[in-house]
Amino acid sequence: MPLVSGTTDVYLILGDPVEQVRAPQVFNLVFARMGIDAVLVPAHVAPEHLEAFVRTAFLSKNIKGMWVAIPHKAPITQLLDSCTELGRIAGAVNGIRRNADGRLKGGLFDGEGFVASLDWFGIGYAGKRALVIGAGGGASAIAVSLACAGARSCAEVALYDPVPGKAAEVAARIAASSQAVVRAAGSNDPAGYDVVINASPLGLLLDDAMPCDVSRMDAHAALVDILMKNQPTPLVRAARARGLVAQPGFEMLIQQTHLYLDFFGFIQAAEQVRQDATFLREMIYPAELAGEIIRTTGSHSTKINHPEETTPCKKSFANAPP
């Protein structure tokens, strides 16, 4: 852990719950290892208190930014002055910073981290069919990056969420900016898809229902469960028991670490992590999966071809397709 003093810059990670977040372990290790006088602290904030908390917290001069976890990734966009293009399309962000002029800017890194993790594991997605289970902020980010990757885009991205209309709303917004077919799936049946992604909260509790029926997955299909808790989850175990490629979500977090660091101005630290993040994998992987750590150094991230211009979030979201 970094030493905390009166000069320490404070970053918060907001969620409800926050027990599952792994970002404080990852980024506090980076800060300590690289001599950065900063600390990342989890903050358990209920949805009804989100706006009041964010506006009040930023009255503190040494709170410089926030990571955003479930379920706040979409609602928090209404508090921002601007965001990146990926955030505008997805309707969600997972990082916000206070600029020198006091304005709040949001960034979205989940999707870029996810597609980079597919590259890391050698899971093909270009021209493939993907099923994203969930339609929250993380699911939206993943769907955007799979559908808006230019020549590397999926042919089709389907989102399933049990909340009526939620997946359709997200799919319509992404489809307006995508080369791929983006639609709401009528069920969580994974049959016929090449890549299946659990981006729902199912699996955070050990007695949760399975996000989908793994026995219905095609023999060539791959699965990624992005949860940071209880890995390998029952979903991952079930897929592996069938002999399928199935990966936990740790690499998604690791592959976006340098993106966060760049966003918050830690350029040198970002480059070091980009070159070799083995120390993060050794910390975050549980003992059961430690033998699966890939220790190859160098950058394995995939930058999505998208404009980096700043977009006024509230205006863009208000005018997005229903």
Side-chain angles (χ1 to χ4, degrees), residues 190-216:
Y193 294 98
D194 304 296
V195 185
V196 178
I197 304 108
N198 179 36
S200 78
L202 291 175
L204 286 178
L205 302 178
L206 293 177
D207 59 352
D208 278 344
M210 293 282 276
C212 68
D213 183 355
V214 170
S215 69
R216 295 276 300 163

Side-chain angles (χ1 to χ4, degrees), residues 174-310:
I174 297 172
S177 301
S178 169
Q179 307 93 329
V181 174
V182 185
R183 63 177 179 85
S187 75
N188 61 347
D189 183 3
Y193 294 98
D194 304 296
V195 185
V196 178
I197 304 108
N198 179 36
S200 78
L202 291 175
L204 286 178
L205 302 178
L206 293 177
D207 59 352
D208 278 344
M210 293 282 276
C212 68
D213 183 355
V214 170
S215 69
R216 295 276 300 163
M217 288 179 63
D218 292 1
H220 72 277
L223 178 142
V224 181
D225 188 340
I226 73 168
L227 294 181
M228 295 290 124
K229 186 179 179 183
N230 300 327
Q231 290 286 1
T233 60
L235 183 67
V236 170
R237 293 181 188 275
R240 289 184 172 189
R242 279 200 56 203
L244 303 177
V245 172
Q247 298 291 354
F250 301 133
E251 198 62 38
M252 172 180 164
L253 173 59
I254 290 167
Q255 291 290 340
Q256 62 183 297
T257 298
H258 67 275
L259 301 176
Y260 271 106
L261 292 169
D262 275 331
F263 181 74
F264 288 114
F266 302 115
I267 307 304
Q268 185 175 356
E271 181 57 29
Q272 291 184 49
V273 170
R274 189 179 289 110
Q275 291 302 315
D276 187 4
T278 300
F279 71 102
L280 295 177
R281 297 183 183 96
E282 291 174 340
M283 181 270 294
I284 200 171
Y285 272 64
E288 182 177 349
L289 300 176
E292 301 180 14
I293 294 174
I294 301 172
R295 291 181 165 79
T296 305
T297 61
S299 175
H300 285 256
S301 64
T302 302
K303 290 294 287 182
I304 303 302
N305 237 352
H306 65 83
E308 284 298 331
E309 70 267 13
T310 294

